[in-house]
């Protein structure tokens, strides 16, 4: 902790706070993805999630780079939103026996995670630009691109095969 909402006074404070929020979220996602990979059956889904685990490690490194560029300490703040998304993912997938339905649920959960990341990075990029930090915005843009590509890939896997098999 150490960065309370009452400490947020300027857009710069808000930017740093939100950077610490996504830093926390990325680290939680890094921990959650191996469990999702274990549960996935569809080979494309498994491979896609594995690839994204590698990318997520890169996201963490890029966020650390932005902290450095911005001259602030790399710290996390709790993010109840991502905790809730990941908790729900774990709960729902724990209740499903059918492998195909489980894959469909994993895709839905993974897309909820990607959409959370996309909204955070979208905001951070806009604020970085407003604050004159195009250097930070450019680094964050690399992360949002990979989140968006992952989201699209998950839709593709769901629509090409997993939803069909889950409905059988
Ligand atoms: Fe990420
Ligand atoms: Fe992601």
């Amino acid at each position: 902790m150490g960065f309370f909402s009452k400490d947020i006074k300027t857009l710069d404070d808000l930017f740093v706070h939100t950077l610490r929020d996504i830093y926390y979220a990325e680290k939680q996602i890094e921990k959650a993805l191996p469990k999702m990979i274990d549960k996935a059956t569809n080979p494309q889904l498994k491979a896609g999630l594995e690839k994204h685990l590698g990318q997520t490690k890169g996201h963490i490194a890029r966020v650390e780079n932005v902290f450095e560029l911005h001259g602030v300490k790399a710290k996390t703040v709790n993010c109840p939103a991502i905790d809730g998304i990941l908790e729900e993912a774990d709960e729902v997938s724990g209740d499903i026996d059918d492998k195909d339905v489980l894959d469909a649920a994993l895709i839905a959960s993974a897309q909820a995670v990607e959409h959370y990341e996309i909204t955070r990075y979208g905001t951070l990029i806009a604020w970085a630009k407003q604050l004159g930090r195009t250097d930070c915005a450019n680094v964050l843009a690399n992360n949002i691109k990979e989140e968006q590509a992952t989201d699209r890939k998950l839709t593709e896997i769901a629509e090409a095969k997993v939803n069909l098999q889950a409905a059988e």
Side-chain angles (χ1 to χ4, degrees):
M1 283 294 277
F3 202 97
F4 299 97
S5 347
K6 67 176 169 53
D7 295 327
I8 302 171
K9 292 186 176 70
T10 64
L11 186 64
D12 195 284
D13 296 337
L14 193 58
F15 174 73
V16 172
H17 177 83
T18 307
L19 199 59
R20 289 176 174 160
D21 170 297
I22 194 69
Y23 189 43
Y24 174 88
E26 291 282 15
K27 287 185 166 201
Q28 295 305 108
I29 295 163
E30 185 191 25
K31 276 194 250 172
L33 274 171
K35 288 184 252 168
M36 295 174 81
I37 293 165
D38 268 355
K39 287 178 185 168
T41 303
N42 178 283
Q44 267 184 296
L45 176 58
K46 231 180 187 11
L49 292 173
E50 251 156 33
K51 181 180 172 194
H52 200 56
L53 175 59
Q55 289 177 329
T56 297
K57 293 177 198 295
H59 298 171
I60 293 170
R62 286 197 194 110
V63 171
E64 285 168 351
N65 182 15
V66 173
F67 279 121
E68 207 181 311
L69 287 170
H70 202 56
V72 290
K73 209 175 150 211
K75 279 203 297 197
T76 58
V77 290
N78 282 349
C79 169
I82 198 69
D83 284 338
I85 291 171
L86 293 173
E87 218 173 279
E88 193 181 328
D90 205 43
E91 264 174 41
V92 172
S93 63
D95 283 341
I96 303 173
D97 291 327
D98 185 294
K99 293 282 174 212
D100 298 321
V101 178
L102 177 57
D103 277 349
L106 289 169
I107 292 177
S109 298
Q111 287 193 286
V113 170
E114 292 318 301
H115 282 239
Y116 180 76
E117 292 181 286
I118 292 166
T119 183
R120 280 294 179 250
Y121 283 122
T123 298
L124 281 165
I125 290 165
W127 286 344
K129 285 181 186 162
Q130 187 61 48
L131 292 165
R133 300 308 308 252
T134 40
D135 53 345
C136 296
N138 290 340
V139 176
L140 294 166
N142 292 317
N143 281 7
I144 204 173
K145 270 183 225 151
E146 288 179 353
E147 313 294 12
Q148 287 163 335
T150 301
D151 182 49
R152 281 194 298 271
K153 183 74 194 163
L154 288 165
T155 298
E156 214 178 280
I157 297 170
E159 290 181 349
K161 203 156 194 184
V162 170
N163 289 352
L164 208 73
Q165 286 180 323
E168 274 170 5

